[in-house]
Amino acid sequence: MSGETNHIQSKFISDRFDVQDISNLSLFLYESLLTVIAHRQSDQSVVAANIYSLHEEEALEKIVGSDELINASNTSGRLYLHHQRFTLVPGILFNPAHSALYLNFATRVNPEKDEVIYSGISNNSIQVLGAADKGLLNLLDSRLPEMETSHGAAHVLDYFLHNNKDLLKQEIFIHTAPNCMYIAGFKDGELMVFNRFIVHEEQTLLRYLFIVLQQLAFDQAHCKISVFGNLDWVHSSLENLQGFFKNIQQSSPTQNITYQKGTENLKNTQLLEAYWLQQHSVR
């Protein structure tokens, strides 16, 4: 059995899939999950996707070496790294030459092992900075030499900011993924808080939610909380959370991705990447 098969969780293939028709890839790497999405040349619609579970250190190297999408003839892609090592910088203050200095305020940066990455969102009004392991980038560069890399927070926050019209005075958005969540707090339509947390039990989820509510001085009974993603991933349920928050709801993400026939079930994963393709700002 190949290394790819050992770790494959789900495959989605268009009825008319042709590996030569791939224009570029979108890769989303979490602590224990890798999603690889292939887009068609003519219209950027999804033609194939593979989802892998990562349970040991060697898994990613095996997958990169065997995945048919990563090893297709295309030479471009964008990698989104989802981990705790990131920070936000107002675009008006951002100087690329000082990227490592900005990021060092949030997490220690080792120049020998880390490459600082940054992406502009919301018309470059916010820069999302993160650390990328140089060994990982070298591994992927051997297959995708023109790959660009962003922190996954850019993808999630870009979605939240595109969907913050007509907000109430107190709103919280949550994006869940396996054992982690992003959370954004908006007050009078303005972004006040954005962070990512590791969540291995429901009590941890509740603790972080209450911390954000307290930090923003939001009313627990009236603050609107919108959840995007599967609450099982953060060891909870809507029914349980409704016992604490009266205005909480699970929402379906706004979709800006189109699908070729046979790949639509990717949306059933409830991953944000199945719905939202980030519109990249010019650096």
Side-chain angles (χ1 to χ4, degrees):
M1 184 178 291
S2 70
E4 173 187 333
T5 307
N6 284 335
H7 305 283
I8 194 72
Q9 187 180 100
S10 304
K11 294 178 75 76
F12 307 89
I13 303 292
S14 166
D15 295 348
R16 294 180 291 176
F17 175 68
D18 181 352
V19 72
Q20 301 300 320
D21 194 30
I22 297 175
S23 65
N24 62 291
L25 304 179
S26 298
L27 288 75
F28 300 83
L29 180 60
Y30 295 86
E31 285 87 354
S32 60
L33 195 73
L34 171 67
T35 301
V36 183
I37 300 175
H39 304 278
R40 192 170 73 162
Q41 290 186 18
S42 59
D43 58 8
Q44 287 295 291
S45 58
V46 174
V47 292
N50 294 330
I51 299 179
Y52 297 94
S53 298
L54 305 175
H55 298 301
E56 65 257 8
E57 290 184 9
E58 299 81 10
L60 188 59
E61 185 173 355
K62 293 177 182 177
I63 292 166
V64 170
S66 60
D67 179 80
E68 63 179 332
L69 305 180
I70 294 175
N71 289 276
S73 58
N74 71 85
T75 57
S76 67
R78 178 170 286 271
L79 168 68
Y80 294 92
L81 293 172
H82 290 277
H83 55 63
Q84 300 300 98
R85 305 180 65 198
F86 77 95
T87 192
L88 308 182
V89 177
I92 195 171
L93 302 177
F94 181 67
N95 182 337
H98 299 152
S99 296
L101 179 63
Y102 301 135
L103 189 55
N104 258 311
F105 284 109
T107 183
R108 183 180 177 185
V109 177
N110 183 338
E112 295 182 2
K113 296 182 178 181
D114 299 322
E115 181 172 319
V116 178
I117 54 177
Y118 58 91
S119 301
I121 60 173
S122 190
N123 295 319
N124 282 324
S125 63
I126 298 174
Q127 291 287 334
V128 182
L129 283 69
D133 180 78
K134 289 183 177 180
L136 169 64
L137 297 183
N138 290 335
L139 171 66
L140 286 165
D141 185 63
S142 65
R143 309 288 177 172
L144 297 166
E146 296 181 22
M147 182 187 70
E148 298 183 43
T149 306
S150 298
H151 193 280
H155 185 249
V156 177
L157 184 55
D158 184 60
Y159 174 78
F160 288 162
L161 292 174
H162 271 85
N163 291 273
N164 69 342
K165 308 297 188 294
D166 302 318
L167 296 185
L168 303 178
K169 290 184 176 295
Q170 302 180 6
E171 292 220 25
I172 288 177
F173 291 170
I174 294 172
H175 160 57
T176 66
N179 296 314
C180 64
M181 71 170 180
Y182 288 94
I183 185 167
F186 290 86
K187 189 172 186 178
D188 296 323
E190 295 293 324
L191 178 69
M192 306 300 292
V193 169
F194 180 73
N195 213 335
R196 182 180 193 265
F197 300 107
I198 299 297
V199 179
H200 288 294
E201 59 183 8
E202 187 177 51
Q203 285 301 115
T204 303
L205 168 66
L206 290 169
R207 182 169 71 250
Y208 288 136
L209 271 171
F210 281 121
I211 287 173
V212 171
L213 284 168
Q214 184 178 31
Q215 182 178 355
L216 297 176
F218 280 1
D219 185 334
Q220 178 182 342
H222 297 96
C223 171
K224 181 180 178 182
I225 302 175
S226 299
V227 179
F228 300 90
N230 191 341
L231 279 166
D232 287 345
W233 288 331
V234 287
H235 315 284
S236 189
S237 68
L238 188 62
E239 181 181 15
N240 287 358
L241 294 178
Q242 285 173 336
F244 299 92
F245 311 103
K246 301 305 180 185
N247 195 11
I248 187 169
Q249 62 183 24
Q250 259 185 305
S251 303
S252 294
T254 302
Q255 181 178 327
N256 71 347
I257 295 177
T258 57
Y259 285 87
Q260 291 295 294
K261 185 178 180 181
T263 61
E264 305 94 333
N265 286 337
L266 178 61
K267 290 184 288 186
N268 294 339
T269 65
Q270 299 186 54
L271 291 166
L272 185 59
E273 48 261 39
Y275 292 87
W276 187 255
L277 184 66
Q278 183 184 340
Q279 306 301 310
H280 303 297
S281 298
V282 177
R283 291 183 178 182

